[in-house]
Amino acid sequence: MAPPTPRLVVSVDLKKKPWEQALPLHNRWHPEIPPVAHVMVSEVFRVEMVDWTGSVIKDDDSAADVKFIDLSTVHYLSGPIRVVDKETPAMPGDLLAVEICNLGPLPGDEWGYTATFDRENGGGFLTDHFPCATKAIWYFEGIYAYSPHIPGVRFPGLTHPGIIGTAPSMELLNIWNEREREVEENGHNSLKLCEVLHSRPLANLPSTKGCHLGKIKKGTAEWEKIAKEAARTIPGRENGGNCDIKNLSRGSKIYLPVFVEGANLSTGDMHFSQGDGEVSFCGAIEMSGFLELKCEIIRGGMKEYLTPMGPTPLHVNPIFEIGPVEPRFSEWLVFEGISVDESGRQHFLDASVAYKRAVLNAIDYLSKFGYSKEQVYLLLSCCPCEGRISGIVDAPNAVATLAIPTAIFDQDIRPKAGKVPIGPRLVRKPDVLRCSYDGNLPTTKNPAASM
């Protein structure tokens, strides 16, 4: 017999707020957030998701919604989902193998957006160069995406969930909060990288503001207690979470450590496409969507397959198996960066500084072909470009590279003899939607730009 249609275990109504859904969504990690659904191993089931902002960002002609978004109330997740083998749930110490069988945008909502946040409201990787809130809308034609705000490019998306993870135990949650509080309180004085990738939040600590805990009713004593402890979903951690790995598409398998009974799997933050690094922060093509998943439990798998890289057995990380489906490109233009910052200061084997240089080099180069630098910044965040740490041993310079598929452009972007071609076809008059930057933080200028 043909297999049954995947069972819909979490549905969403895009006309309702995340907390108004039949199965309320959550935007924090905590072991006591109750599951909203149960699934059996080997069962193929379907999960629907709102976009990561809960439909705050609109398909309109303004970036004001990006500029003024409340980032304490984002990353809405569908779940938690309890996973059971016959009558025995997944248990702490197990591995949960999650296979992505199918995925895509929600029918009737085939569009998405890429954006940069205002420098004083979240910022991003290059926020010192691009302090303004900007937005580009993308429309989907089957597997392809195009944008009226970044004309002259069209590419196939490698659709994936930005967030998929299991619930932490209370012990692991306390480890997260302690180490992230240390960074928040002392990072500016102890971490040199903050001087280069500056004006970004160092950590996002637990906060009751904007907190949603699924079935737990806001205003109750239980909600107040959990909201003060629950971890924000912005960074990836030992449980998986917000890893933003663009290759986790159809056919992928994710091996997640289990820290609580039932595993309590949650997922969200669907992306139609993304470049390595998601450099503009709100940098994939963000969308609502669905996943069809199948789970298996590997009993005792944490100890068997994951070696702790830290002081406790909980300091482990997931394993990801990439699926066989991805766009095919044969020609790439590759930009290199080294660990020397814009002021000419040498850093020691710093891959973040090197990648920043690679991205800046690519932005400046592509802007010669009729694009604004804001258009290129958003494009490199969401197109299927490939980021690499190419060298991490040859002191003092780390080397990072960013490879861009040339086929996504409607013009030849390779260097040639003579000057860069210009003309009406190459001048890209439409630009990204943008707001003014009204803050007082200094921006980084390239001292050689006028030479």
Side-chain angles (χ1 to χ4, degrees):
M1 293 180 61
T5 300
R7 180 168 65 96
L8 179 60
V9 299
V10 179
S11 62
V12 297
D13 183 343
L14 296 179
K15 296 179 180 179
K16 294 182 177 180
K17 303 293 186 182
W19 52 91
E20 297 172 341
Q21 301 294 330
L23 298 177
L25 311 183
H26 64 101
N27 63 356
R28 298 291 192 273
W29 294 114
H30 196 283
E32 296 177 29
I33 298 176
V36 299
H38 295 64
V39 298
M40 299 291 293
V41 297
S42 301
E43 173 189 10
V44 179
F45 59 95
R46 184 179 175 110
V47 180
E48 295 181 346
M49 291 154 282
V50 299
D51 83 273
W52 78 296
T53 70
S55 301
V56 169
I57 308 301
K58 303 299 183 183
D59 179 6
D60 59 17
D61 296 321
S62 171
D65 49 5
V66 175
K67 181 173 182 176
F68 298 110
I69 190 173
D70 182 357
L71 291 177
S72 69
T73 179
V74 294
H75 270 168
Y76 290 102
L77 306 183
S78 294
I81 298 168
R82 180 180 173 89
V83 182
V84 177
D85 183 3
K86 297 180 180 177
E87 296 182 357
T88 306
M91 298 299 292
D94 293 342
L95 270 186
L96 185 69
V98 184
E99 182 179 349
I100 299 177
C101 301
N102 195 15
L103 76 177
L106 286 181
D109 201 47
E110 292 90 355
W111 71 280
Y113 58 90
T114 308
T116 58
F117 294 123
D118 188 279
R119 190 174 176 190
E120 301 196 23
N121 185 28
F125 187 50
L126 303 182
T127 191
D128 54 320
H129 289 262
F130 299 94
C132 301
T134 65
K135 181 172 75 175
I137 302 298
W138 297 87
Y139 300 112
F140 309 148
E141 294 177 335
I143 65 170
Y144 290 93
Y146 72 93
S147 173
H149 301 119
I150 310 178
V153 294
R154 182 175 183 263
F155 51 83
L158 189 54
T159 303
H160 62 280
I163 300 178
I164 187 165
T166 52
S169 64
M170 200 66 217
E171 181 183 359
L172 182 57
L173 180 63
N174 289 335
I175 290 172
W176 292 352
N177 289 339
E178 181 179 350
R179 73 190 184 198
E180 291 174 23
R181 187 172 292 108
E182 167 66 20
V183 169
E184 176 70 22
E185 293 174 354
N186 301 310
H188 281 294
N189 297 323
S190 61
L191 302 174
K192 295 298 183 183
L193 188 58
C194 297
E195 300 173 10
V196 182
L197 303 179
H198 45 86
S199 301
R200 301 166 62 193
L202 300 187
N204 294 272
L205 302 179
S207 171
T208 58
K209 181 184 178 184
C211 179
H212 295 281
L213 301 174
K215 287 184 173 182
I216 301 175
K217 297 296 183 181
K218 190 171 185 177
T220 63
E222 181 185 21
W223 186 93
E224 292 289 343
K225 170 186 176 295
I226 294 175
K228 292 176 181 178
E229 301 169 341
R232 299 287 299 278
T233 55
I234 291 175
R237 301 186 182 92
E238 284 84 350
N239 70 326
N242 193 26
C243 295
D244 288 320
I245 299 172
K246 76 176 193 298
N247 301 88
L248 296 181
S249 194
R250 287 179 182 84
S252 296
K253 189 172 284 189
I254 305 154
Y255 299 90
L256 296 167
V258 176
F259 301 104
V260 301
E261 182 179 311
N264 283 3
L265 175 71
S266 297
T267 186
D269 189 25
M270 285 294 292
H271 298 161
F272 185 83
S273 177
Q274 181 200 296
D276 283 333
E278 196 185 10
V279 289
S280 77
F281 187 8
C282 186
I285 300 181
E286 311 285 349
M287 68 173 193
S288 64
F290 73 91
L291 290 175
E292 292 177 358
L293 304 173
K294 182 171 68 173
C295 294
E296 301 292 340
I297 299 171
I298 302 174
R299 298 295 180 184
M302 276 179 62
K303 183 177 180 180
E304 193 73 23
Y305 292 105
L306 305 182
T307 300
M309 295 294 172
T312 79
L314 303 178
H315 286 81
V316 295
N317 294 100
I319 297 171
F320 303 93
E321 184 179 341
I322 299 305
V325 179
E326 62 180 8
R328 294 197 306 268
F329 297 105
S330 59
E331 296 182 350
W332 304 75
L333 202 58
V334 181
F335 296 86
E336 179 186 83
I338 59 175
S339 49
V340 176
D341 66 31
E342 297 93 313
S343 71
R345 176 184 169 191
Q346 179 74 61
H347 296 257
F348 181 71
L349 295 179
D350 196 312
S352 293
V353 173
Y355 198 57
K356 186 181 183 186
R357 279 287 303 274
V359 177
L360 287 170
N361 289 339
I363 290 173
D364 194 73
Y365 178 90
L366 290 173
S367 68
K368 300 176 186 297
F369 291 85
Y371 293 101
S372 72
K373 292 186 178 182
E374 288 80 5
Q375 286 175 317
V376 182
Y377 184 26
L378 292 187
L379 176 63
L380 296 183
S381 198
C382 68
C383 78
C385 55
E386 300 280 347
R388 296 284 187 273
I389 298 176
S390 301
I392 205 70
V393 296
D394 296 319
N397 275 332
V399 177
T401 55
L402 179 66
I404 303 169
T406 58
I408 71 175
F409 297 93
D410 68 353
Q411 58 180 305
D412 188 348
I413 62 167
R414 296 172 297 178
K416 303 173 196 62
K419 294 185 176 181
V420 176
I422 59 174
R425 186 180 71 84
L426 303 181
V427 176
R428 307 300 180 182
K429 289 296 185 183
D431 201 352
V432 297
L433 305 167
R434 74 178 77 191
C435 294
S436 62
Y437 173 62
D438 306 316
N440 298 314
L441 296 171
T443 56
T444 299
K445 301 294 185 182
N446 181 1
S450 60
M451 295 176 59

